[in-house]
């Protein structure tokens, strides 16, 4: 269930088969790269590409998928459902920030091993 909702990426415990925040970051980064590669290969797409996921509570499909939009060719349904769109870059930003917090906490932990060479 961890992959249908971007709000829990990297939060499902590994003992339950969950991916780490780093693995989630890599997965979303790969999805973004694939989407941009696809749009780049299509002449009819502009360079203004929007990449979005829908988070739980605003989703209609309970599986991981990315909405890939040409922001220069939006129709009325975009504006009707705009509130559902969470930019993929926002997901990546939060995952990056959470990884930085975990790293800082691990470095400040009294159990952290600090090695010094004399």
């Amino acid at each position: 269930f961890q992959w249908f909702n971007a709000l829990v990426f990297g939060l499902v415990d590994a003992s339950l088969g969950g991916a780490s925040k780093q693995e989630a970051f890599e997965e979303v980064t790969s999805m973004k790269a694939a989407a941009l590669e696809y749009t780049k290969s299509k002449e009819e797409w502009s360079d203004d590409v929007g990449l979005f996921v829908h988070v739980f509570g605003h989703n209609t499909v309970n599986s991981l998928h990315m909405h890939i939009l040409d922001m220069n060719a939006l129709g009325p349904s975009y504006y009707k459902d705009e509130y559902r769109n969470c930019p993929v870059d926002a997901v990546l930003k939060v995952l990056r920030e959470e990884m930085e917090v975990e790293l800082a906490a691990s470095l400040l932990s009294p159990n952290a091993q600090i090695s010094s060479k004399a």
Side-chain angles (χ1 to χ4, degrees), residues 2-3 9-10 19-35 53 64-66 88 91-92 95 99:
Q2 72 175 340
W3 291 113
F9 287 176
S20 68
K21 288 177 182 68
Q22 180 66 41
E23 291 167 323
F25 182 86
E26 291 169 4
E27 183 73 19
V28 176
T29 299
S30 294
M31 290 174 63
K32 176 181 176 179
V53 295
L64 178 59
H65 63 284
M66 182 182 298
V88 166
V91 174
L92 291 170
L95 285 168
M99 288 187 298

Side-chain angles (χ1 to χ4, degrees), residues 4 56 59-65:
F4 92 89
F56 185 73
N59 62 327
T60 56
V61 178
N62 288 337
S63 63
L64 178 59
H65 63 284

Side-chain angles (χ1 to χ4, degrees), residues 3-97:
W3 291 113
F4 92 89
N5 185 5
L7 291 176
V8 298
F9 287 176
L11 297 180
V12 177
D13 192 84
S15 67
L16 299 172
S20 68
K21 288 177 182 68
Q22 180 66 41
E23 291 167 323
F25 182 86
E26 291 169 4
E27 183 73 19
V28 176
T29 299
S30 294
M31 290 174 63
K32 176 181 176 179
L36 293 175
E37 185 66 28
Y38 172 80
T39 60
K40 188 194 242 182
S41 72
K42 301 296 180 186
E43 288 182 21
E44 60 272 14
W45 280 75
S46 76
D47 291 334
D48 190 9
V49 176
L51 304 175
F52 304 97
V53 295
H54 293 172
V55 297
F56 185 73
H58 296 291
N59 62 327
T60 56
V61 178
N62 288 337
S63 63
L64 178 59
H65 63 284
M66 182 182 298
H67 295 262
I68 307 167
L69 305 176
D70 185 334
M71 301 304 287
N72 291 336
L74 299 174
S77 63
Y78 171 79
Y79 299 101
K80 176 185 170 287
D81 291 330
E82 185 175 14
Y83 72 96
R84 297 178 188 267
N85 294 333
C86 177
V88 166
D89 284 339
V91 174
L92 291 170
K93 178 181 184 287
V94 170
L95 285 168
R96 189 178 305 109
E97 289 171 352

